[in-house]
Amino acid sequence: MLYTLYEAGYYASTPLRSATRLVRDFWGSPLNPAKDTDLARRIFAGADLAANLTRRYGRPAWGIDHVEIDGQPVRVRPTEVWSSPWVKLTHFARDMADMRRAGRRALEPAVLIVAPLSGHYATLLRGTVQAFLQDHEVFISEWSNARDVSILDGRFDMDDYIDHVRQMLQQMGPRPHVVAVCQPGPAVLAAAALMSEDEDPSRPATMTFMGSPIDARLSPTVTNKLAEEKPFAWFASNMIYTVPPPYPGVGRRVYPGFVQLYGFISMNVEKHQEAHRRYLLQLMEGDGDSAEKHLEFYDEYLSVLDLTEEFYLQTVDVVFQRYLLPKGELTHRGRPVRPEAIHDVGLLTVEGEHDDISGVGQTQAAHALCSGLPAALKEDYVQPHVGHYGVFNGRRFREEIYPRVRAFIARGEMGFDSQELAA
């Protein structure tokens, strides 16, 4: 019922939204001789803010058409290389002629970035992709919005998620590298364990976990405590709704993205209010550059997707309430998941000192679980002065975290040091 009311509210506000757009376009038009007056800027700013607050935010574009490598621009083309109803595997193909001009002639390591399936689109990792494109063939998982998947395509749960991670790795050929950003950590570790036990030729050469809840019992955050304090039945009763028409997934039970977004905003209401107040002042003062940065952030932040009922509830149950992976009790389609079976996959964990989503220690827990790995294949790093987002985006990620990840992947590509492994 809530989903239907949400949609009804959106369509009911259409006349207001249309009116604010007309006002904004009139006072912002270069043909309006009063455009640059103080009054015009004030009216334009108010109308623009109202239009942005009431509009629908869809899947953002990647906006990556080139990357700079060794001072040379290299053209980039996102290409779909594999898909299912639930995910699209995108390869950011770099132009080979440009690569040769940049002095890169040999094949570079293939890296699968597993994006979170936790409410936002994969484009949240735009900065992550741009960094990795400097030295790697980059692939990323673009998860589908559950409301756009027909109920005829069936369920999608944690087992399906693990299967999809494994299938994407297999599409990339022998021994690719995998980077799990936040939420996918447990599923990626499970997939690596199953592939290692099966001696799958496409098992990763290295796996990097960034701010992942491998063991959510450690350094619990507000998010972790909420999952612990509420009984499982509360999540099933209060967080799940039915997709209404006209969406392709009509009738599917989902955890709506707008519900999660409301939860995120309610945790920092004053911060968001202040950000929009600054945006209004910037428009009134004619500070277009600062206003554009605000829009870029909120275009991404307010773009959300729905999760299937079964995937969301299993994540709450398995990862945040019963902690099955760190307790050695996780199974995949009835088969035990054994991280200790991983014996030749490099393991790097990265955490942020001020992470308020996955506390310090939650990602490091992967090292104890992967007891079959020699110390030479393990590395841990805690980045000072960053929160959750800073683990995979921003200046410190580019300048301090990414170089460590790049070096670790390079070691894995070379097979690590044989003397260290023997020791």
Side-chain angles (χ1 to χ4, degrees), residues 6 34 37 48-49 97 145 153 184 190 241 264 301 315 407-408:
Y6 172 78
T37 66
D48 185 74
L49 181 62
N145 190 336
D153 288 310
Y241 301 92
F264 283 150
Y301 186 78
T315 300
F408 188 78

Side-chain angles (χ1 to χ4, degrees), residues 41-42 44-55 57 261 264-266 268-285 287 290-303:
R41 285 200 297 266
R42 287 176 179 275
F44 171 83
D48 185 74
L49 181 62
N52 285 329
L53 288 175
T54 57
R55 75 179 177 89
Y57 289 80
L261 181 62
F264 283 150
I265 292 176
S266 65
N268 296 283
V269 174
E270 293 181 358
K271 177 181 177 182
H272 293 292
Q273 289 175 337
E274 176 60 22
H276 283 85
R277 188 189 70 82
R278 286 199 308 270
Y279 173 66
L280 194 63
L281 292 175
Q282 288 159 2
L283 288 178
M284 291 178 182
E285 295 168 358
D287 184 359
S290 297
E292 186 64 29
K293 291 179 181 178
H294 172 94
L295 286 178
E296 287 176 2
F297 173 80
Y298 278 99
D299 280 351
E300 197 71 57
Y301 186 78
L302 299 177
S303 300

Side-chain angles (χ1 to χ4, degrees), residues 205-333:
T206 68
M207 51 186 178
T208 300
F209 298 101
M210 310 182 77
S212 295
I214 302 297
D215 189 346
R217 296 173 297 181
L218 307 175
S219 302
T221 62
V222 172
T223 305
N224 303 142
K225 291 175 181 177
L226 173 64
E228 281 188 334
E229 292 169 357
K230 301 289 186 181
F232 179 79
W234 183 89
F235 290 95
S237 300
N238 293 279
M239 295 295 178
I240 305 300
Y241 301 92
T242 302
V243 176
Y247 296 108
V250 56
R252 183 180 292 282
R253 298 281 286 171
V254 299
Y255 172 50
F258 67 82
V259 172
Q260 183 175 22
L261 181 62
Y262 173 79
F264 283 150
I265 292 176
S266 65
M267 293 171 63
N268 296 283
V269 174
E270 293 181 358
K271 177 181 177 182
H272 293 292
Q273 289 175 337
E274 176 60 22
H276 283 85
R277 188 189 70 82
R278 286 199 308 270
Y279 173 66
L280 194 63
L281 292 175
Q282 288 159 2
L283 288 178
M284 291 178 182
E285 295 168 358
D287 184 359
D289 292 340
S290 297
E292 186 64 29
K293 291 179 181 178
H294 172 94
L295 286 178
E296 287 176 2
F297 173 80
Y298 278 99
D299 280 351
E300 197 71 57
Y301 186 78
L302 299 177
S303 300
V304 292
L305 53 76
D306 299 349
L307 313 182
T308 65
E309 173 186 33
E310 54 275 13
F311 176 76
Y312 171 72
L313 292 179
Q314 283 183 4
T315 300
V316 171
D317 177 46
V318 170
V319 178
F320 296 105
Q321 289 195 338
R322 290 198 289 156
Y323 316 106
L324 297 187
L325 178 62
K327 290 164 68 176
E329 299 173 5
L330 181 64
T331 61
H332 173 261
R333 305 197 185 282

Side-chain angles (χ1 to χ4, degrees), residues 46 74 136 146 201 204 259 319 330 340 348 371:
V74 174
H136 306 91
V259 172
V319 178
L330 181 64
E340 64 271 20
L348 170 63
S371 56

Side-chain angles (χ1 to χ4, degrees), residues 82 84 86-87 117 143 153-168 187 191 252 308 310-311 314 331-333:
W82 180 82
S84 82
W86 299 104
V87 72
L117 180 54
W143 301 104
D153 288 310
R155 291 163 47 88
F156 182 83
D157 59 14
M158 183 71 78
D159 286 339
D160 296 312
Y161 190 97
I162 294 171
D163 287 338
H164 275 68
V165 171
R166 183 167 185 169
Q167 287 173 296
M168 287 187 286
R252 183 180 292 282
T308 65
E310 54 275 13
F311 176 76
Q314 283 183 4
T331 61
H332 173 261
R333 305 197 185 282

